[in-house]
Amino acid sequence: MMPAPAPRIAMTFGDFSGIGPELAVRLLAEPGNLDKAQVLALVSREEFDRACAAAGVTVPVADSPTTGAVNLVGSPRQDIEVEVAKTSVAAGARVMEDLEKALAMFKDGQVDSIMFLPLNKTSLHLAGMHEEDELRWFAKELGFDGFTSELNFVPGLTTSRVTSHIPISEVAQHISAGRVRQAIQLLNQVVLGTGVDKPRIAVAALNPHAGENGQFGCEEIDHIAPGVELAREVDGIDVKGPFPSDTLFIKARDGQFDGVVTMYHDQGQIAVKLMGFDKGVTVQGGLPVPIATPAHGTAYEIVGKNVAHLGPSQRAFDISVGLGAQTAESRTA
């Protein structure tokens, strides 16, 4: 059998006022990375050369998508000046138009996944993004109204959420067996894409002591446990729970689970950031297109110093490769 072609990844350099461009070229200069995928970078040659010079790296360039070199496909707003280390309309508009082009490339079958370097939400909102986060913006741009969830990765653990950027007072009313099942399905699919053959999934409870048989709340009995059972019995997923969240992440840290489904934003984020704040990756889960990014910001305080840790970007790239390979395979099936 012929080996599967390397996945094609659309890479945007993130917010040009931050550390995105320097991280991007350092990542592409890492030995072996350009052999894993065909990278199509949304920058001009001038921007690319300037970033390489600033980072002190050399990266081969190709005229068309291939492995071993990066293909520069340009940007709708390439070469527009943005002020370094400051939020601005120009910086946010550049990010949005680059991501719009990357989505169009996916829709046209030109790429299999998208990776973007860090962006700044203030600049995005200055430039006209009205959604609370980029995941909802992606869903709007794609016309997608299905279940979505940010997934967060640190080495050895991935989390998904049943609810995300909503007030804590509204969390319980948004929990249902169907949404719990969808969060489990999504987490299982993405962990498979990272190379785990049989993901072991755990589900966190909402209430203290997992509700203590209804004494402290009935969400576990009415919604969470039925969702777990559906995912296990109908979908065949290796999933257990709900477990009290104050002890669950100790088990996850010790390697008993590959992924944890949480009920709300901070329930998982606190644990993930304690386990590996400088190693995190975010995947925009549930969308028709795989999209990954390092789980940190634009780091204005260190722009131009070439001291930003490359680990999260490397993991985001590797996850983009794995998920992109899934997309490429499904397109040829």
Side-chain angles (χ1 to χ4, degrees):
M1 294 179 63
M2 293 289 292
R8 302 160 299 169
I9 299 176
M11 179 182 290
T12 80
F13 279 30
D15 191 319
F16 273 72
S17 66
I19 60 174
E22 64 188 70
L23 283 174
V25 295
R26 287 172 53 201
L27 176 70
L28 296 173
E30 281 291 299
N33 275 348
L34 287 173
D35 295 325
K36 300 175 184 178
Q38 304 173 54
V39 178
L40 293 79
L42 278 68
V43 291
S44 70
R45 183 61 191 254
E46 181 180 346
E47 290 171 329
F48 187 75
D49 289 345
R50 188 163 59 242
C52 287
V57 299
T58 300
V59 180
V61 174
D63 292 332
S64 60
T66 184
T67 54
V70 61
N71 177 218
L72 308 180
V73 298
S75 160
R77 280 185 173 251
Q78 63 191 38
D79 300 322
I80 289 181
E81 293 292 330
V82 300
E83 193 168 356
V84 173
K86 289 192 176 180
T87 58
S88 67
V89 172
R94 171 64 187 267
V95 170
M96 291 171 68
E97 293 192 30
D98 283 353
L99 291 174
E100 287 170 354
K101 179 172 179 177
L103 292 174
M105 292 168 69
F106 180 83
K107 292 176 185 177
D108 292 342
Q110 299 176 48
V111 297
D112 304 305
S113 63
I114 296 170
M115 176 185 170
F116 64 91
L117 277 299
L119 46 75
N120 184 289
K121 286 185 173 61
T122 297
S123 289
L124 292 175
H125 290 136
L126 287 172
M129 179 185 283
H130 301 296
E131 292 71 28
E132 63 266 35
D133 55 35
E134 55 270 30
L135 176 57
R136 274 71 191 174
W137 181 82
F138 282 126
K140 181 204 71 174
E141 292 294 309
L142 292 164
F144 181 76
D145 60 0
F147 180 81
T148 59
S149 169
E150 281 190 355
L151 292 98
N152 293 100
F153 296 72
V154 292
L157 179 66
T158 306
T159 64
S160 69
R161 311 170 194 156
V162 175
T163 71
S164 190
H165 294 107
I166 62 172
I168 197 72
S169 61
E170 298 177 12
V171 167
Q173 68 194 61
H174 286 88
I175 294 174
S176 67
R179 289 180 61 85
V180 170
R181 180 187 183 186
Q182 288 173 313
I184 295 168
Q185 292 170 329
L186 180 57
L187 181 58
N188 186 70
Q189 176 189 356
V190 173
V191 175
L192 281 169
T194 68
V196 178
D197 291 333
K198 183 68 174 176
R200 301 162 300 164
I201 307 296
V203 176
L206 174 66
N207 296 298
H209 303 184
E212 198 73 73
N213 297 315
Q215 293 185 59
F216 305 144
C218 293
E219 285 80 10
E220 288 75 16
I221 296 170
D222 294 342
H223 305 297
I224 303 174
V228 171
E229 184 176 1
L230 283 170
R232 182 173 54 242
E233 300 300 328
V234 178
D235 303 321
I237 297 173
D238 182 3
V239 58
K240 299 175 181 177
F243 297 111
S245 59
D246 60 351
T247 55
L248 171 56
F249 284 99
I250 298 173
K251 298 175 182 177
R253 179 201 62 191
D254 293 343
Q256 295 184 36
F257 300 107
D258 303 299
V260 174
V261 174
T262 63
M263 295 300 115
Y264 57 93
H265 183 280
D266 285 3
Q267 187 179 45
Q269 286 293 82
I270 292 170
V272 164
K273 292 185 177 182
L274 281 171
M275 291 172 65
F277 181 75
D278 62 346
K279 301 174 183 176
V281 174
T282 298
V283 168
Q284 312 294 319
L287 300 171
V289 50
I291 305 174
T293 185
H296 60 73
T298 44
Y300 288 160
E301 69 279 5
I302 58 171
V303 174
K305 297 181 180 180
N306 279 329
V307 296
H309 185 35
L310 195 60
S313 297
Q314 181 65 62
R315 290 204 77 222
F317 180 75
D318 290 337
I319 289 169
S320 295
V321 171
L323 297 178
Q326 283 186 336
T327 302
E329 183 178 352
S330 67
R331 281 174 164 169
T332 57

